[in-house]
Each structure stands twice: as structure tokens, then as C-alpha cells.
Amino acid sequence: MTLYVCATPIGNLKDITLRALDILSSADIVLCEDTRTSKHLFSTHGIRYKRLVALHEHNENEISAKVIEWLEDGLTIVQISDAGTPGISDPGARLCNNIRRAGFNVSPLPGACAYISLLSVSGLSDNSLFHGFLPNTKTARSKILSQWADVSYAVCIYEAPHRIVACMTDIVECLGETREIIMGRELTKQFETIKKLPAGELLNFITSDSNQQRGEFVLIIAPQPKNIADELTTQQLNVLNLLAKELPPKKAIQLTHQIIGGNKDLMYTYLIQQK
Ligand code: SAM
């Protein structure tokens, strides 16, 4: 017998797989976080669930014992969370371990996940680390952020609206204002906003518009570029340096690109670093 761990949408309720709809309709018991959230999803898709049982971080062990009994009785059990993939900054890890330890299969029904969604459009997906939520206090948060000062991989974090400004402020302090950050706000929802900017500019963008402090956030910290100057040719650097003395950065980059080619993002970062 198998416990199914099933992803649900992170905003747009249509982001659910056919397989998820099938298994949720046929399950004997669906384990969920907030039953109201799950009922809303089920009514949207006309799923006539049989039984919902609340599973949260405080009752995972207790519910695991029941799930083992239900699986022994041959029932189909599915776990979902309020949004996205269970076990990803959500309850589920202890349940999976307990059920597998009891000798049952645990099988994923893949689907939406907030950080994977942003990573997929970040242009940085080659090499990344998922960290999830940072600690609440500035000291603890800064200690972790500082570890990523020189990393060669992208780091994905989750953030809540009431902490987004504090978190971005700490990113600027610990990683510098030129470090590229990709922000995904309200992904798949009406006010979806995706911005890829140097940390200092992103902080300004967020602080100057209170609407940008609302909703749900994924942040991806880009890898620390090795040495930008090494990634541009000497000719590109010469032309860029010459033009940047006379022209605004955007124009200098545009002309350099036209004359001799080269990556415009790298040129931009290079010019910022020269300031
Ligand atoms: N299990 C979920 C997943 O697969 O992504 C994550 C659950 S975690 C409790 C909730 C956090 O995920 C939010 O605080 C936010 O950081 C991120 N998140 C969830 N939905 C999001 C969305 N639509 N846009 C941006 N971030 C989102």
C-alpha cells in the first residue's frame, strides 16, 4: 500500500495535474493543512472527497500512527498541503519517514512548487540550493546570508510579506548592493511580479511601493560572479570603459554590444562594480 504525496496549486487553481485530480477524487482519506483551503480547491474542481483529516507540524507523529493503520486496512491515503508541494517548507517530512519506516511506499504526485517555478524562469537553474525560510532575527538571518557571500550556486529562499523589507535590507548588507536577486511575488496569481535586479535596486523597488510588500515571495540569490572583468574580453572592456566615460551606462553598454558584442548583463554588473 502507498501514501501519495500530492502537489496542489500555489495560486492559480488550474495548476493541478490530471493525476492529482484522479487520486484526490478516489482517495479514502485526504490529509490536509487547513480544511477550508482544501475544500475550496475541491469545490473548484468538482472533487467529491470522502474524508479530510488535518495534518500539521504538531500532529504529524500522531497522524502517522493512524495512517499506518489505514494503510494496513487497504485504504488510499493522499497528503496535500495548503499550496504547492508538501514537505517543501510544509509538513510532510516526518510523515514520509514514519510511513516508509513502517514498510509502506511513499510516492510523489509532482506539481506546483513556488521556488521551482521561479527557478525555471530565473536563467540560473544550473546549480542551486533550496534553503526555504530564513530565521526571524536579524543576527541569525545575517549569519546565514553571510555564508553565501562567495558561493558559485544560486540560493532559493522563501519570505513572508511582513519580513520582506528586513530580509532584503540584510541581503544588501551581507552580500552587497550589486548582488543579483530574482524576486518572484504572487507567482501564478493576478499580481504576479518577477524582477531580476541588483539587490540595492530591488530593495528600492520594494520599499518605494507598498504594493510590492504584499503577498508571497520567493527570492533567488544569484551566484557570486567570479570576476566580471575576466568574463569580458579585453577589447570589450576597452570599448566599454571608453564609452562609459562619456555616456550613461545603458547607452555605453548598448553601443559596446553593437560594436563588439558581449553579454550586456555582465557589462552592467561590471560598470556597477567600477563605481
Ligand atoms: N510547499 C510550498 C511550495 O511547494 O512552494 C511552500 C509552502 S511555504 C509554507 C509558503 C511560502 O512559499 C510562502 O511564504 C512563499 O515564500 C512561498 N510561496 C508560496 N506560494 C507562492 C506564490 N504564489 N508566489 C510566491 N511565493 C510563494
Side-chain angles (χ1 to χ4, degrees):
M1 298 310 297
T2 301
L3 165 70
Y4 294 96
V5 175
C6 176
T8 57
I10 57 166
N12 188 321
L13 292 184
K14 289 184 178 167
D15 291 335
I16 188 159
T17 69
L18 296 175
R19 210 171 145 221
L21 293 176
D22 275 354
I23 200 99
L24 288 169
S25 301
S26 62
D28 295 298
I29 297 171
V30 178
L31 309 173
C32 57
E33 284 187 273
D34 184 336
T35 52
R36 286 162 305 179
T37 307
S38 300
K39 281 179 185 168
H40 179 55
L41 173 71
F42 293 168
S43 75
T44 302
H45 289 290
I47 294 170
R48 304 233 305 264
Y49 61 91
K50 291 189 191 124
R51 184 176 167 197
L52 295 182
V53 171
L55 174 100
H56 42 78
E57 56 174 322
H58 303 297
N59 72 353
E60 263 191 75
N61 285 334
E62 184 192 323
I63 294 292
S64 299
K66 290 189 178 157
V67 171
I68 291 167
E69 284 175 23
W70 293 329
L71 289 170
E72 280 166 350
D73 289 344
L75 301 185
T76 300
I77 315 293
V78 184
Q79 187 216 349
I80 59 175
S81 59
D82 279 350
T85 302
I88 306 297
S89 295
D90 261 342
R94 259 181 294 162
L95 175 73
C96 290
N97 283 329
N98 292 339
I99 300 308
R100 201 176 286 110
R101 217 176 287 129
F104 295 100
N105 293 328
V106 181
S107 181
L109 276 83
C113 175
Y115 90 89
I116 295 285
S117 303
L118 186 62
L119 197 56
S120 72
V121 298
S122 69
L124 290 172
S125 46
D126 274 354
N127 193 2
S128 61
L129 165 85
F130 174 66
H131 179 84
F133 289 101
L134 287 166
N136 274 325
T137 65
K138 184 178 179 67
T139 317
R141 204 164 43 224
S142 301
K143 196 172 167 195
I144 294 180
L145 285 168
S146 303
Q147 292 171 3
W148 299 324
D150 292 320
V151 293
S152 58
Y153 47 84
V155 181
C156 309
I157 54 183
Y158 282 162
E159 200 42 277
H162 62 280
R163 274 196 317 245
I164 189 67
V165 171
C167 176
M168 274 308 304
T169 303
D170 293 346
I171 288 178
V172 170
E173 281 172 23
C174 298
L175 305 178
E177 58 182 24
T178 60
R179 187 69 167 265
E180 286 247 290
I181 308 292
I182 299 104
M183 176 193 81
R185 186 179 76 88
E186 294 290 84
L187 295 169
T188 78
K189 303 186 204 177
Q190 188 183 1
F191 296 109
E192 178 180 273
T193 310
I194 298 174
K195 286 272 170 200
K196 186 177 184 182
L197 286 173
E201 287 182 38
L202 184 60
L203 178 58
N204 282 342
F205 174 76
I206 294 170
T207 47
S208 60
D209 178 358
S210 61
N211 284 325
Q212 295 302 330
Q213 297 161 35
R214 295 179 211 270
E216 302 194 274
F217 294 84
V218 184
L219 297 175
I220 301 182
I221 301 167
Q224 170 73 347
K226 287 209 172 77
N227 181 354
I228 293 294
D230 290 346
E231 311 209 10
L232 295 166
T233 67
T234 312
Q235 281 172 317
Q236 284 164 352
L237 283 172
N238 287 343
V239 175
L240 182 62
N241 283 329
L242 210 62
L243 292 173
K245 278 187 196 151
E246 308 295 333
L247 299 168
K250 205 171 162 191
K251 193 72 196 160
I253 291 167
Q254 202 181 10
L255 277 177
T256 307
H257 182 72
Q258 272 172 19
I259 297 166
I260 198 153
N263 181 309
K264 290 197 236 173
D265 286 342
L266 284 178
M267 291 187 215
Y268 184 68
T269 314
Y270 170 78
L271 286 184
I272 286 184
Q273 281 182 353
Q274 299 310 298
K275 275 190 185 166

